[in-house]
Amino acid sequence: MARVTAAQRREQDAGAGYNAFVEACPSRKLLDRISNKWVALILAALGSDDAHQPDSACAGGPRAMRYSELARLLAGVSQKMLTQTLRSLERDGLVTRTVVPTVPVTVSYELTDLGLSLYGMMRGLKAWAEAHMDDVLAHREAYDTRLA
Amino acid sequence: MARVTAAQRREQDAGAGYNAFVEACPSRKLLDRISNKWVALILAALGSDDAHQPDSACAGGPRAMRYSELARLLAGVSQKMLTQTLRSLERDGLVTRTVVPTVPVTVSYELTDLGLSLYGMMRGLKAWAEAHMDDVLAHREAYDTRLA
DNA sequence: CAGGATCCCGCTAGATACTG
DNA sequence: CAGTATCTAGCGGGATCCTG
């Protein structure tokens, strides 16, 4: 079942790096991790300031956000998914987690340079979904009535 | 639980369109659909020709691919997931499905303009995963040994 | 406040078998 | 060739309770 085309094997052997088309390639698992609703929303949130405060005077740049801020912005996310996703992002080096030992404790998250390099695409993904929602809705209706 | 911040409500009411940060917004579901390993790989495959044939003389442009070609390129994908994902992409207007009534039947898939507008980001996502795999791997090891 | 720990359900990916 | 149909194990993910 782990079939590989000659082209794929060639690319792998050439040391060209990774190829997500190949089943066993670690980059496929990574692609799976980052292809995730919560990852997209968290990165989109951490990357742009004004996503949270449209009226804010400061320009929109990468910004540290607190756990509760994220929870509020990403409406409907469970603590479990939020914590779990943030952990995996931290482990992968996409965000930093900073604990300030106040009482109660204060925890903030911020994009790393690596995370910032992914932010652009995630922001784009979110923007695409919002921009083409009507298009997609229209296509769905057409598709569904066609089958009726 | 369906809490919405004032900023979010403002953006919604303003008719600014959709906002995936809002739980009930349809664009969040759409984001969920397209944030998917198989969606990314299928779009990446349909968008670039040379992903399949690196030695091909023709330039890499959008291209129609047959079901079996996709199955071969996306190593390890089950027929179920491939068919299911292609159907949803077709329903959303991202790909077209063309049946040529030969025997046996020939079915090919091709990106629509809408699909093409998403291809860029999907290709970027896949490329990002491949390009930063080593970075991520290093971060993970550091993170894990730190906890040991 | 920012989680950790548990329980548990639903769904969905994957494997297998069959078909026009 | 390009699917459809069916079954099942596994886990994604929500709800709930608890804590430093």
Side-chain angles (χ1 to χ4, degrees):
Chain A
M1 171 129 310
R3 294 207 48 204
V4 177
T5 69
Q8 287 170 351
R9 196 177 311 108
R10 218 173 303 127
E11 183 167 345
Q12 283 295 82
D13 292 347
Y18 301 96
N19 179 7
F21 282 139
V22 177
E23 185 175 14
C25 183
S27 72
R28 177 178 288 192
K29 284 187 218 163
L30 180 57
L31 181 61
D32 203 12
R33 285 251 166 83
I34 63 178
S35 296
N36 175 298
K37 179 178 51 172
W38 299 125
V39 170
L41 289 177
I42 287 178
L43 288 189
L46 289 177
S48 86
D49 186 3
D50 47 30
H52 186 205
Q53 305 186 346
D55 303 327
S56 173
C58 62
R63 157 162 169 265
M65 287 182 75
R66 299 184 54 183
Y67 183 88
S68 50
E69 282 184 290
L70 282 168
R72 215 173 313 117
L73 180 57
L74 308 197
V77 66
S78 63
Q79 305 101 318
K80 181 183 176 180
M81 288 317 298
L82 183 54
T83 300
Q84 185 173 299
T85 308
L86 283 168
R87 282 285 181 280
S88 94
L89 290 177
E90 184 195 4
R91 190 169 104 100
D92 289 354
L94 297 178
V95 306
T96 58
R97 177 174 180 269
T98 308
V99 181
V100 180
T102 53
V103 272
V105 69
T106 301
V107 181
S108 63
Y109 295 88
E110 193 166 6
L111 285 184
T112 63
D113 287 346
L114 189 58
L116 198 59
S117 73
L118 187 55
Y119 159 73
M121 271 171 295
M122 287 317 194
R123 177 77 194 159
L125 220 59
K126 176 173 178 293
W128 188 93
E130 292 163 352
H132 298 282
M133 191 70 236
D134 287 328
D135 270 321
V136 170
L137 250 31
H139 276 289
R140 281 184 191 168
E141 195 168 355
Y143 182 92
D144 291 347
T145 58
R146 169 175 328 225
L147 298 187
Chain B
M1 174 127 314
R3 295 206 48 204
V4 177
T5 69
Q8 287 170 350
R9 199 178 309 108
R10 218 173 303 128
E11 184 167 348
Q12 282 295 82
D13 292 347
Y18 300 96
N19 179 5
F21 282 139
V22 176
E23 186 175 12
C25 182
S27 72
R28 178 178 286 193
K29 283 185 217 164
L30 180 56
L31 181 62
D32 201 14
R33 285 250 165 82
I34 64 178
S35 297
N36 175 297
K37 178 177 52 171
W38 299 125
V39 170
L41 289 176
I42 288 177
L43 288 190
L46 289 177
S48 85
D49 186 3
D50 46 31
H52 186 205
Q53 302 187 347
D55 303 326
S56 174
C58 62
R63 156 163 169 265
M65 287 183 75
R66 299 184 53 182
Y67 182 88
S68 50
E69 281 184 291
L70 283 168
R72 216 174 311 117
L73 181 57
L74 308 196
V77 66
S78 62
Q79 306 102 318
K80 181 182 175 181
M81 288 317 298
L82 184 54
T83 300
Q84 186 174 299
T85 308
L86 284 168
R87 283 284 182 279
S88 95
L89 290 177
E90 185 195 2
R91 189 169 105 100
D92 289 353
L94 297 177
V95 306
T96 58
R97 177 173 179 269
T98 308
V99 183
V100 180
T102 52
V103 271
V105 69
T106 300
V107 180
S108 65
Y109 294 88
E110 193 166 6
L111 285 183
T112 63
D113 287 346
L114 189 58
L116 197 59
S117 74
L118 187 55
Y119 159 73
M121 271 171 295
M122 286 317 194
R123 177 75 192 161
L125 220 59
K126 177 174 178 290
W128 188 94
E130 292 163 354
H132 298 281
M133 190 70 235
D134 287 326
D135 270 320
V136 169
L137 250 30
H139 277 289
R140 281 184 192 168
E141 196 168 355
Y143 183 92
D144 291 346
T145 59
R146 171 179 322 236
L147 299 186

